[in-house]
Amino acid sequence: MSSAVPINQSHPESKSQKMGLFVLFLFLKFFLALLLILLAAAGGLATGAYFRLQSLPDVRKLGNFDPHERSEILTPDGKVLKEIFGEENRKVVLLKDIPLQVRQAVLAIEDARFEEHGGVDPIGILRAVKANMDKNDVVQGGSTITQQVVKNLFFTPEKSYARKAAEAVLSIQVDQTFSKQQILELYLNLIYWGHNAYGIQAAAETYFGKSVKDLTLSESALIAGLIRGPENFSPYRNYKMAKIRQAETLRKMVESKFITAEAAEQAKKEPLKLNGIRRGMQHPYFTTYVMDHLKKLYTDSELETKGLKIYTSINVKAQNHAIKVVGDHLAKLKDYNIQQGALVAIDSKTGHVIAMVGGTKFGYGANEFNRAFQAQRQTGSAFKPFVYVTGFENGLTPWSTEVDGPTVYRTGPGTTWSPQNYGRNYRGAMSLHSALVASTNVVAVKVMDKVGIDKVVEMTKRLGIKSEVRPFLSSALGASEITPLEMTQAFSAFANDGVLNMASPILRIEDKNGNVIMDNAHPKGKRVLDKDVVRALNHTLMAVVTGGTATAAYIPGQQVAGKTGTTSSHKDAWFMGYTPQITTAIWIGNDTPMVMYGATGGVFCAPIWKDFMVDALKAYKPEVFPPQLPLNRKRQFSKGTYISSVEPETEEEKRKKEKERAKAAALAAARQKAQIPESQLDTSEQTRVRLRNNSSRPIVPTVPEDHDTAGRLEGGQRTNSRSGRMEGGTSGGQTVPQTPPTVPQNPPAQNNPPADPPPVPQNPPPQNNPPATTPQSVPQPPASP
């Protein structure tokens, strides 16, 4: 019997085999695909790593690495006045200038095998992995000092295996290219230590206020312990954590056999004297002036990153004395409504600023205004030397004569201006020498009008004044605003026999490598005045000190020249004084112009000047001004605006005259009506008329001229100021008709005011009228030679 399977039926075993083969085939396809993917990925990584390594920077560039370095403003002997930096406060120091214990502290805590490995330390990496696993935290890093240099200079904070591989390759190359000493020096000047301090020198200054070469073992260990987390470990923010890091550093130093255990224990117990974070400056009024000057030469970025060393001309002894003198005097003058003052002292022969005080107290962020070079103030009569020296240049001499009397000038269509002397006193004909010594306003205006306003304005520009001097006659009396620094610079040309050196606080500037890139130690000035002209002015201004308005500035054994100045309503007072060695300006006033009680340049400013100069001149040998030379110049005068020698009447004078005419007319009518003899009429101010005795009496009594105290300001507006009438008056005038009316007769000439300025009263006077400070008798020079 046989069994047979139909041909068209499937064998049961072949069907299951086919299913197994199908599954195996799918698995093989999936495995192959996965393998291909893995191979592709591996190939991609290898390819990426290959191309990244091919594009690595050339480590040889580190040899020319030029890190950002702060600039420093220094005294002539190298002491720091201010550090200038932006985000990075860094001062590069050589490795030989860094103490051994500082280097050992950094190596112990950061890379104990630095001298042994080749840029990458496999043993250090394994040690770090073990330490981190033991603590279950990241407590130790495996990067070497070389790797940290590479990471800071060549890479971003990106974290990837490719970057780590590139970092390792570059670190090995750096180690092969540079010595260990070069790498360590670069590292110590490169890394961040917190609070904008980059590099070990800035760190030492930030935390302990000293140079790195002066750090103790205790301080070195604390600073080294900050590297891993300068913001978190800073003793200013977490003193306890900073001490923990210090102890860890000392322990590592013992392990590395850099120090003994006893030295470590002693260092841990040593108290730390933190300096505090300070971002100020020394002598701020002088230093802010230096900063302003530097910004005309460099950009902020250049100052913050180029590592410049700016040696200044400050005389620290003179600067300290100037601060004391100004402060002491202003403290005594508070009761006279005087709150501020300024002093500028310049070496007359070089233009170097040796001292500057710009106020009573410099307040960071609150009161940083420097009045010495930022405050433009009216100068009063201190401006007059610019007028007279222009006159001497254009044909006048100190012995030329002008009439000090009522004078009228045209100021515009239908308007005029009449300058006034202090107290409205006139002296008649007088020499220009006497007029300048007595500070006569009218004569100064006449000289400016005669030589030309434009020439006087040009003279101020020639002397380096950049503030606007307005082209009006009132500028002859100091109506324009000028800074104390500009005034000092201009007067220094007088002291230097007509040679101007532009004021500067800089002796020289060096780059970070010590190369001198600007040398201003011996500047070559420019002659702006001929010798005969400037000497004529100097010898006239010497008389201001010996017998004029500035006798309080006289210094025995020294030749001193100068000019006082006081502005309208006593709002500003000046003394500009100079010797052949030093030129110094003194200004007092208030930031908001207010009346000072009785303040004049001769009474209040000249004593400040003298107190400063007596001490400052001790560093110089006494000198004398060169002798005068003949002035033989062709007169070159302008047409001017002078129109009359008759002074216009005030409104009060007009009303008085009108009242007198009405009274005379009433008396005449009464006499005619009553037919009473004139001799029997009563001319009193009563309205009724009555008989009286036959004593002789004029019908209209002579009324003396009664001048009011109001100034006569340009432009026609009445004011209560005494403009144009004080020793340093700015300007005074009144709008009056083109044709001046009849004016009372001129007052008789009066004696000159006292020679010596009166002493400063113990209590402020009850009114604003200052005592006259002009001399009692100004010696009259001989007639013109």
Side-chain angles (χ1 to χ4, degrees), residues 91-108:
K91 180 179 175 66
V92 174
V93 289
L94 300 177
L95 188 66
K96 65 182 181 65
D97 296 325
I98 301 174
L100 178 61
Q101 64 186 10
V102 175
R103 289 178 269 166
Q104 290 175 336
V106 173
L107 290 175

Side-chain angles (χ1 to χ4, degrees), residues 231-243:
E231 299 294 348
N232 296 328
F233 301 153
S234 168
Y236 295 131
R237 294 177 177 169
N238 193 335
Y239 185 81
K240 182 179 179 181
M241 181 58 70
K243 289 293 291 182

Side-chain angles (χ1 to χ4, degrees), residues 211-238:
S211 173
V212 62
K213 63 184 177 63
D214 299 322
L215 290 177
T216 66
L217 174 60
S218 176
E219 294 165 344
S220 301
L222 185 135
I223 286 180
L226 304 179
I227 297 175
R228 289 289 172 179
E231 299 294 348
N232 296 328
F233 301 153
S234 168
Y236 295 131
R237 294 177 177 169
N238 193 335

Side-chain angles (χ1 to χ4, degrees), residues 8-171:
N8 60 348
Q9 282 188 337
S10 297
H11 196 280
E13 293 181 358
S14 66
K15 187 175 182 180
S16 60
Q17 289 176 353
K18 288 181 179 180
M19 181 62 69
L21 290 173
F22 177 75
V23 172
L24 178 62
F25 177 73
L26 289 178
F27 175 76
L28 290 174
K29 286 180 66 176
F30 175 77
F31 178 77
L32 181 60
L34 181 61
L35 180 61
L36 290 174
I37 292 173
L38 291 175
L39 290 174
L45 288 173
T47 303
Y50 172 78
F51 283 112
R52 180 147 194 171
L53 292 175
Q54 288 294 103
S55 62
L56 289 178
D58 186 352
V59 297
R60 289 175 296 181
K61 294 180 180 179
L62 286 180
N64 300 319
F65 177 62
D66 186 22
H68 288 176
E69 190 172 349
R70 75 185 183 212
S71 297
E72 294 177 337
I73 299 175
L74 308 168
T75 63
D77 58 356
K79 294 181 181 177
V80 177
L81 295 174
K82 179 178 173 59
E83 299 162 349
I84 310 171
F85 57 87
E87 291 297 322
E88 298 183 16
N89 174 19
R90 177 187 287 111
K91 180 179 175 66
V92 174
V93 289
L94 300 177
L95 188 66
K96 65 182 181 65
D97 296 325
I98 301 174
L100 178 61
Q101 64 186 10
V102 175
R103 289 178 269 166
Q104 290 175 336
V106 173
L107 290 175
I109 194 69
E110 289 297 313
D111 191 355
R113 286 174 34 82
F114 176 70
E115 297 290 346
E116 302 170 21
H117 61 68
V120 177
D121 185 13
I123 296 176
I125 295 173
L126 293 174
R127 184 187 298 115
V129 171
K130 182 180 182 302
N132 295 338
M133 291 179 64
D134 291 343
K135 296 290 185 179
N136 196 27
D137 194 6
V138 180
V139 296
Q140 187 173 331
S143 295
T144 65
I145 283 178
T146 310
Q147 286 177 284
Q148 292 183 53
V149 169
V150 168
K151 179 173 62 176
N152 277 280
L153 292 179
F154 293 122
F155 295 109
T156 64
E158 170 200 0
K159 293 182 179 181
S160 68
Y161 291 109
R163 199 216 73 174
K164 291 296 289 184
E167 180 185 300
V169 171
L170 283 182
S171 298

Side-chain angles (χ1 to χ4, degrees), residues 283-575:
H283 304 297
Y285 281 120
F286 180 88
T287 306
T288 53
Y289 165 57
V290 177
M291 285 293 298
D292 182 80
H293 192 87
L294 287 173
K295 289 182 178 180
K296 299 173 184 175
L297 305 175
Y298 300 98
T299 65
D300 289 344
S301 176
E302 289 173 330
L303 289 173
E304 293 169 357
T305 63
K306 293 297 183 181
L308 303 175
K309 295 178 178 63
I310 301 103
Y311 289 87
T312 66
S313 56
I314 186 174
N315 182 320
V316 175
K317 185 175 182 293
Q319 177 70 23
N320 287 329
H321 187 60
I323 293 170
K324 182 178 185 302
V325 167
V326 172
D328 290 348
H329 277 268
L330 289 179
K332 297 175 183 177
L333 298 178
K334 284 185 178 180
D335 291 340
Y336 298 88
N337 200 27
I338 300 171
Q339 300 172 1
Q340 287 295 348
L343 178 152
V344 180
I346 289 180
D347 186 300
S348 300
K349 292 181 172 57
T350 63
H352 293 150
V353 179
I354 61 174
M356 177 177 285
V357 180
T360 54
K361 186 177 181 182
F362 187 90
Y364 294 96
N367 184 24
E368 296 185 6
F369 184 61
N370 192 332
R371 296 155 192 84
F373 78 94
Q374 292 177 317
Q376 293 180 311
R377 305 299 295 238
Q378 290 188 344
T379 58
S381 289
F383 187 89
K384 290 176 182 175
F386 304 139
V387 176
Y388 282 87
V389 78
T390 307
F392 297 158
E393 193 174 69
N394 286 274
L396 297 175
T397 74
W399 316 120
S400 300
T401 303
E402 279 290 350
V403 176
D404 176 25
T407 310
V408 180
Y409 295 94
R410 181 180 292 107
T411 59
T415 60
T416 59
W417 173 67
S418 178
Q420 305 295 319
N421 291 328
Y422 176 73
R424 286 187 71 177
N425 298 324
Y426 301 105
R427 295 176 174 84
M430 62 192 310
S431 68
L432 299 190
H433 175 98
S434 299
L436 183 53
V437 170
S439 199
T440 305
N441 287 344
V442 171
V443 175
V445 175
K446 283 189 172 183
V447 172
M448 187 175 190
D449 184 60
K450 182 171 288 187
V451 301
I453 298 174
D454 58 332
K455 291 181 181 178
V456 175
V457 173
E458 188 275 331
M459 173 63 71
T460 62
K461 293 180 179 178
R462 197 193 313 172
L463 292 170
I465 293 176
K466 296 182 179 179
S467 295
E468 179 188 8
V469 176
R470 290 183 285 275
F472 303 123
L473 285 175
S474 57
S475 288
L477 308 181
S480 296
E481 295 84 6
I482 303 174
T483 68
L485 177 64
E486 289 176 310
M487 290 290 287
T488 315
Q489 174 183 271
F491 272 69
S492 72
F494 303 156
N496 197 28
D497 204 27
V499 176
L500 174 67
N501 286 292
M502 299 300 287
S504 172
I506 295 175
L507 293 178
R508 71 181 185 277
I509 299 177
E510 297 177 358
D511 64 16
K512 63 173 62 180
N513 299 315
N515 301 312
V516 177
I517 56 177
M518 174 182 172
D519 190 352
N520 190 46
H522 304 287
K524 294 181 179 179
K526 177 182 179 182
R527 177 162 292 282
V528 293
L529 293 170
D530 291 338
K531 293 181 180 180
D532 56 339
V533 171
V534 70
R535 293 179 185 181
L537 178 71
N538 286 342
H539 284 264
T540 303
L541 293 181
M542 286 167 62
V544 174
V545 176
T546 56
T549 59
T551 55
Y554 175 74
I555 301 176
Q558 297 282 354
Q559 282 197 350
V560 177
K563 186 69 191 76
T564 55
T566 311
T567 62
S568 298
S569 301
H570 301 262
K571 294 176 181 177
D572 298 272
W574 295 74
F575 180 63

